[in-house]
Structures are given as C-alpha cells and as structure tokens.
Amino acid sequence: MAEAERIIGTPDTPDDGGEQTAAAGAPAGSGASTPAETRRGRGRRIALLFAVAAFAYALDLISKLLVVAKLEGHEPIRLVGDWLELNATRNPGAAFGFGAAFTVIFTLIAAAVIVVIMRLARKLYSYPWAIALGLLLGGALGNLTDRIFRSPGVFEGKVVDFIAPKGFAVFNLADSAIVCGGILIVLLSFRGLDPDGTVHKD
C-alpha cells in the first residue's frame, strides 16, 4: 500500500489560499518565508478568524435582541408563504431543538468548542480554515451567551430561535454559522487541507 504523500511548504506561499505546497529542500533565496514573515502570515489568518467570529456573533446577537423586542409574544411573520416564517421560541436544547433535557451539558460542550478553537488558532496558517473556525467560534459564542445570560439561569438559559422553515426545526443565525463552518471543515478535510496549511493526499 502506497504511503500517503504529504506536501509541505512555507506557511505564507502567495495566492495559495493558505495551502503550503513548496517543494522540500528548496535552496536559500528561493522565496521561502522568513520567521518574521511566517509570524505575520499566521497573524493575518488569526485576525481573519476573529473578524469572521465577531461578525457572526454580532449578527446573531443583534437578531436575537430584535426578535425578543419585536417578535416574542406576537404572531409569526410569514416571509415565503407557508414555507418560511419568523417565529420566536425559546430552546433549552442543542441546535435545532435537539436534547432539551441536557441544557447544562450543551453549555459545557459549547465552552469546550471555544477552547479547542482558541488552541487551534496558534497553529493556523490557512485562510479557509480561518473562515471555518471563525464561523464555529461566532456561532458557539452566540448560543453560549444565551445559555449564560437568559432565563431560567446561568448555564441553563434557553436559546432564542426564530427562523422556522416548514417541516423543519426552528433555529437561529448562530446555528446557521455553526452548520456552515462544519460543512466547510468537511470540504477542507476531503481536499486534504490541514489547519496548519499543509496538504496531504492519500
């Protein structure tokens, strides 16, 4: 069985979308990044991660504030006939209403996801991974904020959901960010792109 081929290059190869694909053993002066350039490249990707996370978190927070103020306690608002409406609900479970009896556990899981993402950020050299992890981080922070600050209490708060497609669970923008981030991670994994920017082909 042929061994997996692993292609490793410099973390800051231009126009590669974060992928490192330079040949091993390249001679000095061949365009390889210096340590300072490597640190700057990683810094840009970390900045992108937190920018995406902040954007996703802000959209989720603002949307929930508006829903609680304007929609909660009122009739649902139809957007696309019977197919899509805005319907404010409080969800004690996980994304899309699953596991309502395990609110505290899901709170701890969300906190653990945030810690893992922060640790991965230290080895991040891929722009696509920065976007994916940023979406996950923003979504996790959005729902964790509800868990901590909403009733009935700290770590047991119910998440505000309001997007209600016909025949599907009600969800929010944080759930959407988490799902989009997860899908992107799966696609990157199929392509063989790792968070550190290396590419492996089996």
Side-chain angles (χ1 to χ4, degrees):
M1 178 181 297
E3 296 183 355
E5 175 190 1
R6 189 169 183 83
I7 306 173
I8 304 178
T10 59
D12 238 356
T13 303
D15 301 323
D16 62 355
E19 300 176 9
Q20 303 174 17
T21 55
S30 62
S33 298
T34 65
E37 290 171 339
T38 297
R39 288 192 296 271
R40 286 196 296 270
R42 183 180 64 181
R44 288 193 293 268
R45 289 157 178 81
I46 293 175
L48 176 61
L49 185 157
F50 286 114
V52 172
F55 182 72
Y57 178 69
L59 282 182
D60 180 67
L61 183 61
I62 293 170
S63 66
K64 288 174 179 175
L65 290 174
L66 290 174
V67 165
V68 171
K70 302 295 184 180
L71 185 59
E72 201 167 44
H74 296 79
E75 290 295 319
I77 299 176
R78 291 186 176 183
L79 297 180
V80 185
D82 293 332
W83 294 98
L84 179 65
E85 63 182 19
L86 299 180
N87 183 15
T89 63
R90 296 292 182 111
N91 173 24
F96 305 109
F98 298 114
F102 302 99
T103 304
V104 175
I105 294 176
F106 290 127
T107 302
L108 296 176
I109 291 174
V113 168
I114 293 171
V115 171
V116 170
I117 293 173
M118 300 295 285
R119 291 177 62 88
L120 280 175
R122 296 183 300 176
K123 300 179 180 180
L124 186 63
Y125 289 100
S126 166
Y127 284 119
W129 270 94
I131 295 172
L133 293 177
L135 289 170
L136 287 179
L137 180 59
L141 285 171
N143 283 339
L144 184 60
T145 299
D146 282 3
R147 301 290 186 200
I148 295 175
F149 294 107
R150 297 194 187 278
S151 61
V154 177
F155 301 125
E156 296 182 351
K158 296 180 180 180
V159 173
V160 175
D161 289 334
F162 57 92
I163 304 172
K166 182 178 180 180
F168 195 69
V170 185
F171 59 97
N172 56 45
L173 295 183
D175 297 333
S176 300
I178 291 171
V179 170
C180 290
I183 291 173
L184 183 53
I185 286 175
V186 171
L187 294 176
L188 294 173
S189 299
F190 273 119
R191 286 192 58 196
L193 178 60
D194 292 334
D196 62 1
T198 56
V199 179
H200 62 271
K201 297 181 180 179
D202 295 332

